[in-house]
Amino acid sequence: MLPKPVTYVVAHGEIPIDPSSIHAAMQRRLAGEPLQYIRGKTEFFGRDFFVDDRVLIPRPETEIVVEAAIDRIEKGARVVDIGTGSGSIAVTLAFERPDLRVLGTDVSVAALAVASRNANGRVTLVASDMLAGFVEDFDWIVSNPPYIAAGEIESLATEVRNHEPRGALTPGEKGTEAIARILDRAGRARLILEIGFGQLEAVRDLAAAHHFNVDEVRDDLAGIPRVIVLSRHGWK
Ligand SMILES: C[S@@+](CC[C@H](N)C(=O)[O-])C[C@H]1O[C@@H](n2cnc3c(N)ncnc32)[C@H](O)[C@@H]1O
């Protein structure tokens, strides 16, 4: 886009500007592309993250996952961020809690390329379908998994529906399939999971069926239950 910051352009009204790059960006925006992809960045937990259409744009409510992790995870713990996408959760945790050993996984190799740029060596990144292939035990699993029911995709904003990766949005018909799969493989790990609007009861049921206690539920700023903290019965 512009070779200079906007503040420079405003302060130097006399300089000529080549409108072609602005025009190209406007065309993309008019076609419904999210501004974050056009700018190539978004802010998460006070830091800039590189984003493009290979990853979900990190959302403010996912900062609650990070806050819960900072508050709850014990010093030196081994943590895996399942479905790391841009690396927003894993990289932020690595900055905020340098005592932790943080690993990020994603089934999308394209997403991991973006995460790698954001991680800059701070986080280990591994391509994996959930935790398939891991023999290692983790103390904690953090995740903002895909959780939108497939049937709801058509009702989403164009920016989301037509531009964000489908695999980052929906895991299937119910919306809770990825959460169920994470619980299947969680072992003795404790979990901090982001959940979708109206999913609390379904996730409580899944947790109970997998022998997990609900330790805490955190609401987002709209008062919607957004993050759930789980531990396996008898493992606290
Ligand atoms: C909702 S996005 C979250 C991205 C990022 N953690 C964030 O909060 O901004 C879900 C991520 O899970 C990944 N994913 C989907 N299915 C997966 C699977 N079976 N195993 C691992 N990752 C998966 C997607 O590729 C996507 O990057």
Side-chain angles (χ1 to χ4, degrees), residues 140-220:
W140 286 84
I141 292 170
V142 295
S143 185
N144 171 23
Y147 56 60
I148 298 171
E152 288 173 22
I153 292 288
E154 284 313 307
S155 63
L156 300 176
T158 314
E159 281 85 348
V160 181
R161 188 180 68 233
N162 292 346
H163 294 275
E164 295 197 273
R166 198 54 63 102
L169 298 173
T170 181
E173 217 171 284
K174 293 191 222 163
T176 49
E177 291 88 341
I179 292 172
R181 288 190 62 204
I182 291 172
L183 291 172
D184 285 342
R185 289 295 310 267
R188 59 165 199 86
R190 297 176 71 184
L191 301 105
I192 300 173
L193 303 175
E194 182 168 328
I195 61 172
F197 175 75
Q199 280 180 343
L200 181 58
E201 288 318 310
V203 175
R204 276 189 192 280
D205 290 348
L206 276 174
H210 285 79
H211 311 290
F212 280 88
N213 297 312
V214 176
D215 295 334
E216 188 186 357
V217 176
R218 293 193 182 196
D219 292 351
D220 65 19

Side-chain angles (χ1 to χ4, degrees), residues 56-59 62 81-89 105-108 111 128-130 144-146 167-169 181:
L56 185 101
I57 298 162
R59 305 292 204 272
T62 304
D81 172 20
I82 298 180
T84 198
S86 62
S88 51
I89 299 174
T105 73
D106 207 292
V107 74
S108 161
S128 172
D129 179 9
M130 295 297 165
N144 171 23
L169 298 173
R181 288 190 62 204

Side-chain angles (χ1 to χ4, degrees), residues 129-140:
D129 179 9
M130 295 297 165
L131 292 180
F134 278 90
V135 281
E136 188 182 352
D137 254 0
F138 293 97
D139 300 309
W140 286 84

